[in-house]
Structure formats: structure tokens, C-alpha cells
Amino acid sequence: MSEITLTIDGREITTQPGRTILEAAEEHGIYIPRLCHLPGLKPFGGCRVCTVLVNGRSEAACTQPVAQGIVVENDTEQLRAWRRNIIEMLFVEGNHFCPSCEKSGDCELQALAYRMGISAPRHPFLWPRREVDASHPDVLIDHNRCILCARCARTSRDIDGKEVFGFVGRGPARKLTINPGARLVDSALDVTDQAVNACPVGAILRKRGAYATPVGRRHYDRAPIGSGIETPAELTIDRGDQP
Amino acid sequence: MDTEVRQITSDACRAFANDGTRLLDILHEIQRRLGHVPPDAIEAIADCTSLAPVRVQQTLAFYAFFSDRPLGKVVIRLCDDVVDRMWGYDAVRAAFEKALGIPMGGTTPDGMIGLQRTPCIGMSDQSPAALVGTTVFTRLTPESAERIVAGLRAGCQPAELIEKCGDGNNAHTLVRAMVRNNIRQPGAVLLTEGERGAAIANALAMSPAEVIRTVKNARLRGCGGAGFPTGMKWEFARSARGPRKLIFCNADEGEPGTFKDRVLLTEHPNRVFAGMTIAGYAVGAAEGILYLRAEYAYLRPFLEDILARRRADGLLGNAIRGKHSFGFDIRIQLGAGSYVCGAELALLRSCEGGPGEPMTRPPFPVQSGYLGCPSVVNNVETLALVTKILESGAPAFSELGEEGCSGTKLLSLSGDCTRPGVYEVPLGTPLRDVLDMCGGGDARSVLVGGASGRFVGPALFDRLISFDDLSTGGAIIVFGPQRSVPEIVELYSHFFAEESCGYCAPCRIGTVLLRERLGRIVRGTGEPADLEYLEELGDTMKATSRCGLGQAAPNALLSSLKNFRPAYEELVRSDPDGFKRAFDLDKAVTQAGEIAARLSIRGQEVAL
């Protein structure tokens, strides 16, 4: 099939039909921030952090296929502001305590906040009451830190072939769950499941060994999120409207 | 496991061929027999249907009309919409609570009667209203609430408590509802009955492509609110590949303030079913599904009867009107209490038995929708208009509009007007004329398009009701000088937070944050910076939410901040000393004070 040409922030790129905007951008070293996207899984479009403008209309880059001649805006002041706002919302929706989180430095939510120059969310904290399920011998779920990205649920279903997780409740009551009445230890989850590694935050954690790599030498301590995708590797941290 | 639960569950599953896509029907049936869906039933359904138990639980927990615990043998669902609040909701609620001896959300100790609140049930022109079981009660007063409770206590069925049936088919033996049509201004759709079967005969005399061309020439656009050209939608579905295609009629009008589809389904169901059949012929579909909101379940026996008659008359089934190449049949899918299911991508998920989380688009439903099949979703009114167009021809229809618009629009008028009800007006009619018609001349603010619509003031009353100017799915709510716009917007913000499906972050979290900040403003502790905060939050939700619910949830807020800013500015103030007005010092130190066993109240220390 013939190639497709589109522009992202004024840069013309060519790609194959059938790709998403996010994939096409990545091929060409353009990073579009994302959270619920995980390569190998069917796109979900839930976090909306990858929102871009396609011919002036907002779409999620992870689910929107490329089309000939489309004009995509990605790294603009407006889009950065919307994305910052979503990241700030995710921080107040749960109970996140970065300094004491085992995932600090390896957490994609935290890394995006750093990249976007967020030091504290402008929204009021909602302080929900959420549970911790530490029943499983090797894995624990701390719902306080869950951002409902469904990466674990989709990985369990589509890669591990188990469908351990689902979601119940609607709107603000939405909650990651396992089979009714069951605890994690009752489920088919095994510590070797890919689902355990799919969590972008500190909601699903492998027990023991959380500090094998000391804080300060972790993934996003060494390089900002997205820098592995971006060529040229020059990256400035967007200070946003913070002082 | 309880053997009764197991038996009822397996019967219910078997009644729907153990088909997991019929999960809503299975849950309805179990709930009809047991009053709720107990945890044991979840396992049993999973066994019968081969669904993962978590999926069954997901659907059960999503819909407001399903419950995993007993709510009462009869459940009273009192409609808690803005319009009900205007016409006496508080007093009716208090009367129910007093007569039942329980608070809202409770169940009587004997387990007989439950009291729940529910968003708009499509009776805004005769509010306050409630569902008792599936029976609708309208124009409630504290006295009628007491009578209902006394009747239920005396062992009456809810339907036996209806004192007088409404007009038209509301009095039909299969409906017997006290609902009134309130057709105030009939037009081209509502006025003439037309010969039953004429539209289908005309359509079948043409090729499917000619039918699509006719609908295109009539310039018919979707009446659910989005205004997408109907003929184009059909053409996409016709050219989509797939052996199985379906036509869906969206009868899930959940937009607060809308009720015109209820009137069409009551008075012109044949028009609607004929429209579905014609769509089936044009698209190449053999199946139709009418997705009926659970609030309108009282219409179901009547509609099933109409379908049976149409089958008997050769207007549905194999070889329609003797044309051997065309067969089409329709079934009714009952919803279960979820506003978002009125969005086509959520409606299709719901029809598959899932929670009403919208599907990802693209692919578009016309390419791949219900179970991956090309699916056309059309509004009730759109399909009724299709029948009209095929009856009288495209030119007659396209000539109906004014100011370059084509056709007519049904409007649901409610609020501060003397003649609330359904109006059929030519598209292009100025809002001011509509307000005059309904006796809403005293209007200071009007919500065009319902809760997700736009708030306009007198300066915009000369704008036109049309797809390209003041666009509306039909709801127009009128507010007089005594109403506070910020308070109305705050009330609706609760609705959106309750109805967000929770799939995407900006809607799930944004609707809650909007509600919190608006609450602060109407309570009088808001600050000027809150208005800018709300604008930025609303703008983010509009731009980044995944479906129409989150994108439209801030509409009333953003338009009212633009058109009624002084009303908000009156409510917000800066603190002269620079303190945060929403911060309640006493409340903030209460817990610490309790731990320390002394309380600090405005500078004084009080030992506990």
C-alpha cells in the first residue's frame, strides 16, 4: 500500500496506512505524552493525555489512525495546558504520595508531572477512601495510587489470557476489581504475569525488592520521560505557569 | 448457593439462550423475580453464559436500575431534575419520606417499599414525577404522594393507583398511564396520521439507492442533537462490508428536559417502526433494535403489540409486502438507567450486554458497531421523519423549514412557561417565537438543548432554532426572573458527575471538580479566581473528553459564564484580609482539637 504523508507541528512525515498518529509520530522521533497507552495492547483512549489537534479537532493520538494530508498539532501551548490539567486531575483523584512511593523515579505519572513542570496540582485533593489488597504472597494492589488506565486489565486479558481484572462502578465510583467477593490471592494472578509489569504507577507492586534500585538512580531520575523517543535529544522541562 | 436463586438465574439465562450479549435482559428478568441480583446469581450467570464473573458484575454495577441488594418489593424512583425542583420536588420528597418513615435512599423495615431518586424520567412538562415500579406518576403533590404510599401499604399494585389516564394512547389498554402528551403545536409529523404501510410501499418500489437519494434530497439530519445527515450515514452503512447489518432506533432520550420521543412512541409508533424498516431496506439490514430507556418501560407492552400487528400485516418479517428479497424484524432492548447510553457508541455497547462505556471511534459504527457489524443508529424523531419523507416525497419535506433550513423539529418545552409540552416548529424559527408560543414570555434565561445545552439570555432570543445556529436535540427549558442561573448550573453538575461512565480521566474527574467548585460558589464561599478556574477546567473537559457526555457537560457552565457573568460575580468575593474564603478554620482544626482534647474556637481555647 502506498505511503501516507501528514504533518505534525509543521514537520512533514511519511508513514504506512493503518498506524495511529501516536505510532507514526514515534517512528519519526516525535514524542506525544501518553499514560494509558502500552505498545502491544489495543489502544484504550482513556487517559486522554495524548490529545492532539487533527485538522483543528481534538482527538486521542493513540486511537486516531493517520490519514493522508492531515495536519496534526502536538506540542503547542494550548495542548500542553490541557495535558497538564489532566495530569493534575489524576493526582487529586487518588491518594498519591510520591516521596514514600516504592515506584518513585519509575512512575510515569510522576515523570509526566516533572516533564510538564507541575510541582503541585491546582485542583483540591479529593482524598478518596480506598483499599489496599495485600492478600497475594508476591503482589499487592494499592488502590490509592490507581489511575484506572486499565493497562493491567488489558494485559491480563489480551496477553496473559486470564482476565483477572475488571472495573465496577461508574464515574467517580469506578474501581479496579477482581472477581466479585474475591481478593487478589483468590485470583489467577501469578507474579510472573505481564499484567504485574503493566502498571505505570505504584498501584500494582511486586512485593520485596522495591528498593533494589535506589531512588535517584531510577529510570526517570536519569532521563525525562519521552527522551528515549525524541531525536534530537534536546529537551527542556516545561515550567508551565509555575513560578 | 440458594437453590431458588440458582433456579431463577438458570431460567433467566435459558430464556435468552445463555447468550451473554443479552445480559441486560437476563439481569432485568432476575431482578423482576427476586427484586435484586444477589452475588450468587453473578456466579451462576457467569457459568451459564461463559462470561467472566467480573464482566457480569461490571454490567450489574453500571446501571442505576439494577441493584445487588434488596431495595424493596416496590421501588419508588422520584425524579430529581431541575424542573422537578422548580415545581415542588422538595415537598413531595418530604411527604414520601414522612409517609414511609425512611430517608431518601432507604427501604422500609419490612422490606416492602424503597425510595430512590433518579434523574429526568422524561416528564418535565408534568413534573414532579416518579416511577413506582414501572408505573409513572405525574404532577405529584404531598397529598398524592401520601395516597400512593397508603395504596401500596394496602397491597395495591402501582398501576391500580392511577386515578385518571392521560390523553390519546396513554389511555390504551396496554399503556394505561396517567402521562399526558401535551401536544401543543402539531406540525407535519404529529398532525397527519398517513396511511399505514404507504411509506414502506413507496420505498420498496424504489431501489435502495433511490431511497437513500430521497432522504438526502430531503436534507434530513439526525434529530438526536448531532445533526449528522441521515442519508449519508445510511450510504456509509450500505457500502460497508459485512453479511450482517443492523438498524438501531435510539429511544434513550435521557437528556434532562427532553420528552418528545416519548410522545412519538406513544402516538406514532408505526411511523417509527416504518422508518426503521425503510432504513433496513436502504442499508441492506435485516435486523432492527429499538433501545428503549428503562424509564419508558411502561410503553413496552404497547410497542410489542404494535410489532406483533405489523408482523401479522406483513410489514415486518420475511418478504415484507410480498417482496421476497427483503425481510426485516425489530426487537426491543430495554435499557437500565444510564444517561450515557443515549450516545450511540455507548448504546451499542449496552446492546451487547456491557456497561455503557462508549466504543472507541474509529471505526465508526456504520463500519463496525454492534458486535463488529455495520450499525446505523438513528433517533426516534429522525426515523419518524423518514416515514413522512417516503410518504410525501422529499420536496414537500425540504420546503418546510425557514431561513434556508430543511424540515421541522420537535421541541420539548418545560420550566417557567404556562404551556409546557411538545411543539413542532419549522427549523429556522426564532427562539423568541417559541417562547411566545409556550407562554414563556417572562423568560430571563433559557437552556437550549437541555442539561448539556447552552444557556442563553434575552440578547440571544432572536437567534434561530436550527442545526447551524441554536442547535438542540429538542429540550428547551425556560427560567423566569426568580431563578438563579448559577444554582441551576450547580444542580446539573451533580447530574453529570453521577452519569459519567468513568472510562476517561477528564470526564470522570472533571465532572466532580466542576461540581465541587460550583458548590463552593453557590454556598457563598467562592472567590473571583474560581470563575477563571471553572473556565479552564470546562475548556479542558470539552477538548479532551472521550465522548459527548464529557465534552458537553461544561456547556451550560461555560455559556452561562459568558452570558450571565454578573450572576456569578455577585456570588464570589475576595476576602479583604487575603484569606481563602472556602477555608473553614474551625472545621480544619476539629480533628486535631479532638486528639488534643481541647478545642480552639476563634482565638479562645476551650477544654473538652
Side-chain angles (χ1 to χ4, degrees), chain B residues 292-354:
Chain B
L292 184 68
R293 67 185 307 220
E295 291 81 350
Y296 294 169
Y298 73 98
L299 288 172
R300 186 172 183 169
F302 169 68
L303 294 173
E304 295 281 11
D305 180 62
I306 302 269
L307 288 174
R309 284 164 195 269
R310 293 184 72 84
R311 281 182 204 113
D313 293 349
L315 294 169
L316 282 178
N318 296 323
I320 288 175
R321 287 245 145 186
K323 191 163 184 130
H324 289 288
S325 57
F326 178 54
F328 187 80
D329 211 337
I330 297 172
R331 79 171 171 88
I332 295 174
Q333 175 65 58
L334 194 62
S338 164
Y339 167 67
V340 72
C341 289
E344 67 173 14
L345 295 159
L347 182 148
L348 294 170
R349 270 295 276 136
S350 183
C351 285
E352 292 176 347

Side-chain angles (χ1 to χ4, degrees), chain A residues 42-48 51 57-59 63-65 78 81-83 85-86 89-90 92-93 122-124 126 147-148 157 163-174 177-181 241, chain B residues 42-43 52-55 57-58 61-64 337-339 357 360-362 497-506 508-513 516-517 520 533 536-537 539-546:
Chain A
K42 201 168 154 248
F44 186 67
C47 75
R48 316 306 285 178
T51 297
R57 194 188 149 100
S58 57
E59 303 282 4
T63 57
Q64 190 65 21
Q78 177 68 87
W82 286 336
R83 291 171 186 160
N85 210 337
I86 296 171
M89 287 189 215
L90 287 167
V92 303
E93 184 193 29
R122 286 161 299 171
H123 305 297
L126 298 174
I147 56 167
L148 303 166
R157 186 189 62 204
E163 198 159 5
V164 167
F165 304 101
F167 293 92
V168 292
R170 75 180 184 205
R174 187 178 177 90
T177 186
I178 41 186
N179 281 337
D241 52 1
Chain B
I42 295 177
E43 291 287 338
V54 70
R55 286 212 193 183
Q57 193 189 17
Q58 207 165 341
F62 188 85
Y63 295 93
S338 164
Y339 167 67
E357 293 166 2
T360 298
R361 182 181 65 193
E498 281 162 25
E499 295 296 331
S500 165
C501 82
Y503 187 105
C504 82
R508 182 181 71 236
I509 312 167
T511 51
V512 172
L513 295 172
E516 295 304 307
R517 194 57 55 103
R520 186 198 278 195
Y533 169 87
E536 206 179 315
L537 180 57
D539 180 49
T540 302
M541 289 169 66
K542 234 174 135 61
T544 64
S545 291
R546 186 162 171 266

Side-chain angles (χ1 to χ4, degrees), chain B residues 512-525:
Chain B
V512 172
L513 295 172
L514 279 189
R515 183 190 68 196
E516 295 304 307
R517 194 57 55 103
L518 278 161
R520 186 198 278 195
I521 290 172
V522 300
R523 279 194 303 273
T525 54

